[in-house]
């Protein structure tokens, strides 16, 4: 069981978390949406896995490359 | 003119800078507002006084009507210039400004209200006799009605939000099957973005040009036009390059459309600055898209070719001056102007790229106009739109303007954020743009070629 880090590709703030703890997501599925400069940029899972932890909440400011959720395969 | 005694600028960035500059020239005392993120912004120095209106997020500051209304009362401003974006097309804000005893520098309330709802605006445009393309009213959720609406327009169709703009929730559909899914997806997106799931259909024009007409009305029943702008260079309905006049178009047809729009809007009582956006198809036919009841981002290219200061003209019109006193007779067009919008974004992935402007040196060449709310050392935060500068050139010919803009963008060092300058240069250097054949899919096609 490997841990996967889901990272945001942009600096902004968390607009909406669209998944729940314990939820299984497939590769390429949106975990949460970051709002930056009036655009919505999804954080997508690189691999399929189960969401173990969220490291942010809605409205939390985030920086490019920051880990926002941990999944396990 | 019964001049305003103090004008509050309810905006930020490049447009706040632009309006504050005009107010200084007109010797009208000004008030600027700012959020935490904009404290110390360079343009605030142009204002007579400044009022802090809240934290960085726009909904707590530049969209915070309570805070802005109390700034109006606190400073005794008797007029509010809304700029563009934020509350500039919000009829309830304009009403509250009136309620606070100040003028709203824009058209009468009914215009803001009517034109803000895009499906309603189409209906009104039809009633005023403007050329409107085939389309539907707001769709019901019944499959059969949706399909028959599309059948009477003819495929392909474009599903569009009734309650907002900016390209959000716009989806094309080429078949009945595609249409049902597109309507559902668009309605969900619109509900989230605009608080209303209302969508409608329009005929989908392949590779159209976006041509818009600059309008100015006064409070005495007069409306004039200040020619057109071509804003076809867009990515996902976000404009990137705008120019005036429109290249490779029939002058006769454009002039006839402009004169007809001004005449019809005069009859309808339009009474301040506005822009009628139209789509031009391959045959040169123009169809009404929407009307913006405010100053436009790209107003500068019109100012360059006409010599008319549109912000001053807008303020004088709002103060009750007559067009005959505001505008030259006749309004003439000289040379060619092109504007490029510089965005803080990754030119490859088109993601926003906030950061500190460690280097930001706009070119100081003669005949190159820069509009910006930033300076070196300032932070471009994720809270607002990504436009960090507009670069505008004015030359005798389109080709010399194009060359000058390429030079200007090439001489604009920016570090600390990524910018779209490589994309702008690729478009300006493309065969299609050079030949005067821009269209709204051009950027996507050029980006695909670059990959």
């Amino acid at each position: 069981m490997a841990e996967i880090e889901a990272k945001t590709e942009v600096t902004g703030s968390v607009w909406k978390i669209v998944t729940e703890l314990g939820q299984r997501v497939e590769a390429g599925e949106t975990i949460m949406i970051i709002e930056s400069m009036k655009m919505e940029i999804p954080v997508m899972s690189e691999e399929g896995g189960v969401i173990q932890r969220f490291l942010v909440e809605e409205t939390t400011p985030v920086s490019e490359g920051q880990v926002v959720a941990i999944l396990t395969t | 003119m019964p001049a305003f005694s103090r004008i509050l600028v309810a905006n930020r960035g490049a447009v706040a800078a632009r309006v504050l500059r005009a107010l200084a020239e007109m010797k009208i005392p000004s008030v600027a507002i700012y959020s935490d993120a904009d404290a110390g912004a360079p343009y605030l120095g142009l204002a007579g006084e400044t009022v802090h209106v809240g934290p960085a997020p726009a909904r707590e500051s530049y969209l915070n009507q309570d805070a802005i209304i109390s700034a109006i009362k606190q400073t005794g401003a008797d007029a509010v210039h809304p700029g563009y974006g934020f509350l500039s097309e919000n009829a309830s804000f304009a009403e509250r400004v009136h309620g606070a005893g100040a003028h709203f520098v824009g058209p009468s309330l009914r215009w803001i209200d009517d034109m803000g709802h895009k499906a309603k605006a189409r209906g009104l445009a039809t009633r005023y006799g403007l050329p409107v393309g085939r389309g539907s009213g707001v769709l019901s959720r019944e499959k059969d009605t949706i399909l028959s609406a599309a059948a009477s327009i003819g495929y392909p169709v474009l599903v569009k939000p009734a309650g907002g703009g900016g390209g959000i929730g716009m989806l094309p559909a080429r078949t009945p099957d595609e249409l049902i899914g597109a309507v559902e997806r668009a309605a969900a997106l619109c509900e989230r973005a605009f608080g209303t799931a209302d969508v409608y259909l329009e005929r989908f024009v392949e590779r159209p040009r976006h041509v818009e007409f600059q309008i100015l009305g006064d409070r005495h029943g007069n409306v004039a036009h200040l020619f057109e702008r071509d804003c076809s260079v867009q990515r996902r309905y976000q404009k990137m390059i705008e120019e005036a006049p429109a290249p490779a178009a029939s002058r006769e047809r454009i002039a006839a459309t402009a004169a007809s729009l001004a005449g019809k809007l005069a009859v309808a009582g339009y009474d301040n600055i506005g822009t009628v956006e139209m789509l031009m198809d391959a045959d040169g036919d123009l169809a009404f898209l929407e009307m913006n009841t405010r100053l436009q981002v790209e107003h500068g290219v019109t100012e360059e070719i006409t010599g008319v200061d549109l912000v001053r003209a807008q303020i004088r019109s709002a103060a009750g001056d007559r067009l005959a006193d505001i505008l030259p007779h006749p309004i003439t067009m000289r040379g060619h102007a092109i504007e490029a919008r510089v965005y803080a974004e990754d030119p490859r992935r088109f993601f926003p790229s906030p950061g500190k402007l460690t280097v930001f040196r706009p070119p100081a060449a003669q005949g190159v106009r820069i509009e910006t709310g930033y300076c070196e050392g300032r932070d471009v935060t994720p809270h607002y739109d990504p436009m960090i500068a507009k670069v505008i050139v004015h030359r005798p010919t389109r080709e010399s303007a194009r060359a000058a803009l390429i030079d200007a963008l090439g001489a604009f060092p920016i570090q600390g954020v990524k910018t779209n300058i490589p994309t702008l240069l690729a478009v300006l250097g493309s065969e299609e743009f050079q030949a005067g054949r821009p269209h709204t899919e051009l950027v996507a096609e050029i980006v695909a070629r670059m990959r």
Side-chain angles (χ1 to χ4, degrees):
Chain A
M1 205 170 68
E3 272 202 348
I4 317 165
E5 294 181 334
K7 294 176 184 169
T8 168
E9 293 185 88
V10 294
T11 299
S13 59
V14 179
W15 181 66
K16 203 162 198 166
I17 297 178
V18 296
T19 48
E20 289 171 6
L21 282 182
Q23 184 179 332
R24 167 144 196 103
V25 294
E26 302 306 322
E29 199 172 321
T30 299
I31 298 169
M32 66 181 67
I33 299 166
I34 307 300
E35 185 179 20
S36 182
M37 295 181 149
K38 292 166 72 183
M39 282 172 69
E40 291 164 17
I41 313 286
V43 175
M44 293 183 290
S45 182
E46 286 184 7
E47 302 173 48
V50 175
I51 297 179
Q52 298 301 324
R53 269 198 329 277
F54 290 116
L55 306 178
V56 291
E57 293 170 11
E58 289 181 2
T59 77
T60 305
V62 291
S63 305
E64 185 178 339
Q66 184 178 333
V67 179
V68 292
I70 305 282
L71 291 77
T72 48
T73 53
Chain B
M1 75 177 190
F4 297 124
S5 66
R6 181 170 280 111
I7 300 186
L8 181 140
V9 181
N11 215 302
R12 65 173 298 281
V15 70
R18 173 72 188 86
V19 176
L20 290 167
R21 205 168 71 222
L23 293 173
E25 286 162 5
M26 296 172 88
K27 302 196 172 19
I28 300 175
S30 60
V31 181
I33 61 169
Y34 66 97
S35 71
D36 287 347
D38 288 328
Y43 58 87
L44 296 175
L46 297 168
E49 55 190 307
T50 58
V51 181
H52 175 250
V53 287
R59 62 189 163 274
E60 297 172 52
S61 49
Y62 301 105
L63 294 172
N64 182 347
Q65 298 192 24
D66 289 341
I68 297 171
I69 296 292
S70 85
I72 295 168
K73 292 180 175 158
Q74 178 195 324
T75 57
D78 57 355
V80 172
H81 194 298
Y84 42 71
F86 294 123
L87 297 167
S88 62
E89 291 177 284
N90 186 314
S92 70
F93 174 66
E95 204 168 350
R96 288 190 65 183
V97 169
H98 288 297
H103 292 266
F104 184 80
V105 179
S108 307
L109 283 181
R110 69 178 171 99
W111 283 102
I112 305 173
D113 204 22
D114 288 349
M115 291 301 166
H117 191 275
K118 303 305 171 189
K120 199 161 144 190
R122 278 176 58 85
L124 275 174
T126 310
R127 198 180 332 137
Y128 296 145
L130 308 183
V132 176
R134 286 199 299 271
S136 73
V138 170
L139 293 177
S140 79
R141 302 309 274 272
E142 275 177 41
K143 200 173 158 185
D144 290 349
T145 8
I146 296 172
L147 290 175
S148 73
S152 71
I153 295 166
Y155 288 92
V157 292
L158 186 63
V159 185
K160 292 185 72 173
I168 297 163
M170 283 172 62
L171 298 170
R174 291 170 195 283
T175 62
D177 281 349
E178 270 182 36
L179 176 64
I180 296 302
V183 169
E184 273 173 28
R185 283 207 313 283
L189 285 167
C190 294
E191 171 82 64
R192 234 178 49 193
F194 309 120
T196 162
D198 287 356
V199 295
Y200 67 101
L201 301 178
E202 257 177 27
R203 184 173 71 104
F204 180 72
V205 182
E206 306 269 2
R207 299 171 120 204
R209 280 172 66 175
H210 173 117
V211 176
E212 61 184 32
F213 294 85
Q214 180 65 58
I215 299 294
L216 185 71
D218 66 15
R219 306 278 196 231
H220 309 278
N222 307 297
V223 174
H225 73 82
L226 291 96
F227 309 104
E228 82 286 2
R229 294 181 286 260
D230 186 308
C231 313
S232 301
V233 179
Q234 318 181 341
R235 202 189 71 86
R236 296 205 186 139
Y237 308 102
Q238 278 274 13
K239 294 168 187 167
M240 287 173 61
I241 295 172
E242 300 103 340
E243 59 184 310
S250 153
R251 278 316 312 158
E252 267 174 47
R253 252 173 126 171
I254 296 267
T257 305
S260 151
L261 288 174
K264 283 164 176 158
L265 287 166
V267 172
Y270 196 73
D271 54 0
N272 198 254
I273 205 163
T275 293
V276 177
E277 298 193 336
M278 302 183 98
L279 274 191
M280 188 163 93
D281 67 16
D283 299 328
D285 286 332
L286 289 152
F288 177 86
L289 202 56
E290 61 182 60
M291 179 163 190
N292 295 322
T293 55
R294 54 166 168 82
L295 185 71
Q296 207 92 339
V297 177
E298 58 274 21
H299 69 279
V301 292
T302 300
E303 295 184 319
E304 293 298 322
I305 63 158
T306 60
V308 174
D309 183 316
L310 285 171
V311 178
R312 293 173 71 160
Q314 174 191 19
I315 293 168
R316 290 186 60 186
S317 159
D321 280 9
R322 291 173 178 274
L323 286 194
D325 300 323
I326 300 173
L327 295 172
H329 305 283
I331 305 167
T332 52
M333 189 162 72
R334 197 176 54 84
H336 197 98
I338 315 181
E339 168 180 284
R341 298 190 192 184
V342 179
Y343 290 123
E345 68 178 16
D346 182 325
R348 226 164 31 82
R349 300 178 305 169
F350 296 106
F351 282 174
S353 176
K356 184 185 278 295
L357 293 167
T358 51
V359 174
F360 184 77
R361 296 184 193 150
Q366 208 186 356
V368 177
R369 171 172 161 191
I370 306 290
E371 295 287 347
T372 181
Y374 291 97
C375 64
E376 197 163 283
R378 295 288 304 172
D379 279 321
V380 181
T381 73
H383 299 289
Y384 314 115
D385 74 86
M387 194 178 74
I388 51 174
K390 296 182 260 183
V391 181
I392 306 162
V393 295
H394 182 212
R395 291 289 183 280
T397 64
R398 183 174 190 269
E399 182 50 30
S400 54
R402 188 184 72 90
L405 185 53
I406 291 173
D407 287 349
L409 290 169
F412 192 167
I414 300 173
Q415 284 172 29
V417 302
K418 293 172 195 152
T419 77
N420 67 335
I421 288 178
T423 318
L424 292 168
L425 290 172
V427 174
L428 291 167
S430 71
E431 200 185 307
E432 293 92 334
F433 188 86
Q434 188 167 5
R437 292 194 317 270
H439 57 82
T440 61
E441 299 299 318
L442 182 61
V443 179
E445 293 176 12
I446 287 172
V447 168
R449 259 184 255 158
M450 284 161 77
R451 280 187 176 141

